[in-house]
Amino acid sequence: MRTKAKIWLTIIATLVTLLMAVAVGSVYISPANVFRIILYSILEYFELPNFVNMENITVANYAIVRNLRLPRVLLAFLAGSALSVSGAIMQSVLRNPLASSFTLGVSSGASLGAAFVIFLGFNFISFFTLPFLGFTFGMLTILLVVGFSAKIGLDNNTIILTGMVLSLFINAIITLLFALFRENAQRMILWQMGSFSMRDWQTVVILAPIILVGSVLVFRYKFELDILTFGEEQAQTIGLNSKRTKIILLTIAAALTGSTISFVGIIGFVDLVAPHVVRKIFGAAHRYVIPMSAIIGGSFMVLADLVARTITAPTELPVGVITAILGAPFFAYVFFAKR
């Protein structure tokens, strides 16, 4: 099948997935009615709501779609897209199938920021305190990793090992906080498992431009990513400043991951699985890998969240548990099959 046909099939499948994710829940709303409600909401913004027939759609169903499910599904898609693009960058820059922002300590840094809020009660900008500190500590972690590695030469193995060592150190601090402040341990554990519960349009509006800008910036480096995939010597032969490019791309990847997990908690395996699937279907060229990782990763996250909120309804599972259950066996198969 030609690449363009694969792309269009993926886009259509993604739209169907988003529509069904909004339709399915404790109260089932037909996809046709979901589509009408979404279209009505869009046209209402342009003061043209009369073009959509809203007959037989109750006020309750309208509120469920517009205020609860639609922002949650869009947030899940954005989070999956950001994590997948970040994972694609890390795997290409570091030439390691296991590389991710989580490997380099971004998740550990964000967890430490969240721990200060949850355990120590920091609260200086209300709702945004936890996301702000989570993002800040995540970025500080990657800056420490890159800064230390740069003094040694910014070798790929050095970057990964530095990230792992720093992650272990930060996790030790978090464990100490768990021991000292046990009364808030449950809340911290739930945050570390990741969830899209109780998120609204405010979070979507904040994250959407960050993720869009980050993804566009990465796409501008698509040819540099292709070159880095072949190694340092090839990059230097062509004349690419590999150190500078690495630092820029690693920072963007960390920003995408940090901004996402600071709002929804730690969700793993999406950033590892989605880029591998994309490379298997569309090839290794980053003009396809970057946008298709965003689409497939977003769809995977939406499906994982759908399972998390319906499989044990009316209770809800952490979405990070679902992604791990689905992602770990798949990634093990892909990794060992290559070996």
Side-chain angles (χ1 to χ4, degrees):
M1 186 183 295
R2 299 178 65 178
T3 302
K4 286 186 178 180
K6 292 178 183 178
I7 291 172
W8 280 110
L9 282 175
T10 304
I11 293 173
I12 292 170
T14 297
L15 292 175
V16 172
T17 299
L18 294 173
L19 193 64
M20 291 305 300
V22 178
V24 176
S26 56
V27 177
Y28 176 76
I29 303 171
S30 70
N33 285 347
V34 169
F35 180 77
R36 287 162 60 194
I37 293 171
I38 294 173
L39 184 60
Y40 178 86
S41 299
I42 294 171
L43 292 177
E44 187 180 34
Y45 180 79
F46 296 100
E47 299 182 356
L48 297 170
N50 295 330
F51 285 90
V52 181
N53 179 14
M54 295 292 286
E55 187 177 353
N56 298 326
I57 295 179
T58 65
V59 175
N61 285 354
Y62 178 82
I64 289 172
V65 170
R66 180 165 179 173
N67 300 327
L68 297 177
R69 291 188 191 167
L70 186 58
R72 177 169 181 154
V73 168
L74 290 177
L75 181 61
F77 184 83
L78 288 170
S81 298
L83 294 175
S84 300
V85 170
S86 176
I89 298 169
M90 293 291 183
Q91 291 167 18
S92 297
V93 170
L94 302 178
R95 301 180 65 205
N96 189 318
L98 290 172
S100 70
S101 291
F102 297 96
T103 308
L104 299 188
V106 177
S107 62
S108 297
S111 294
L112 183 60
F116 283 137
V117 176
I118 294 171
F119 288 133
L120 303 180
F122 288 177
N123 185 17
F124 49 88
I125 45 176
S126 186
F127 165 77
F128 295 103
T129 303
L130 195 154
F132 174 77
L133 285 183
F135 174 77
T136 302
F137 276 73
M139 289 302 298
L140 286 175
T141 304
I142 195 67
L143 291 175
L144 284 173
V145 170
V146 172
F148 181 83
S149 303
K151 293 183 179 297
I152 305 176
L154 213 64
D155 176 73
N156 291 347
N157 291 331
T158 302
I159 295 173
I160 293 172
L161 288 173
T162 303
M164 293 176 66
V165 170
L166 192 56
S167 293
L168 290 172
F169 175 73
I170 293 173
N171 287 333
I173 297 175
I174 294 172
T175 303
L176 178 62
L177 291 174
F178 266 109
L180 295 176
F181 302 94
R182 295 182 180 181
E183 64 276 9
N184 292 321
Q186 185 67 25
R187 184 185 170 194
M188 185 65 193
I189 291 171
L190 290 174
W191 184 87
Q192 288 184 318
M193 291 180 179
S195 175
F196 300 106
S197 178
M198 305 301 291
R199 302 297 188 272
D200 55 18
W201 284 108
Q202 184 181 35
T203 309
V204 176
V205 170
I206 294 170
L207 274 182
I210 297 173
I211 294 170
L212 180 61
V213 171
S215 300
V216 170
L217 287 175
V218 171
F219 191 74
R220 292 186 63 182
Y221 283 88
K222 55 186 180 294
F223 298 119
E224 287 84 349
L225 282 165
D226 288 339
I227 296 169
L228 287 172
T229 304
F230 292 102
E232 298 283 343
E233 293 182 1
Q234 290 285 351
Q236 291 175 2
T237 301
I238 296 172
L240 177 67
N241 187 338
S242 59
K243 287 186 178 181
R244 177 177 176 274
T245 305
K246 272 186 179 182
I247 292 172
I248 292 172
L249 288 170
L250 290 175
T251 302
I252 295 173
L256 286 171
T257 300
S259 60
T260 301
I261 65 177
S262 64
F263 279 97
V264 302
I266 298 174
I267 303 172
F269 285 99
V270 179
D271 58 337
L272 293 175
V273 172
H276 281 286
V277 173
V278 170
R279 291 187 178 97
K280 187 75 173 176
I281 298 173
F282 298 95
H286 285 84
R287 68 180 185 274
Y288 298 126
V289 171
I290 299 302
M292 300 316 296
S293 291
I295 293 173
I296 289 179
S299 300
F300 176 73
M301 187 71 85
V302 169
L303 289 174
D305 182 54
L306 178 62
V307 173
R309 61 184 167 87
T310 58
I311 194 170
T312 59
T315 59
E316 183 177 314
L317 295 175
V319 70
V321 173
I322 304 300
T323 57
I325 291 173
L326 296 177
F330 175 84
F331 183 74
Y333 167 76
V334 171
F335 183 69
F336 287 110
K338 285 185 176 182
R339 293 178 66 87

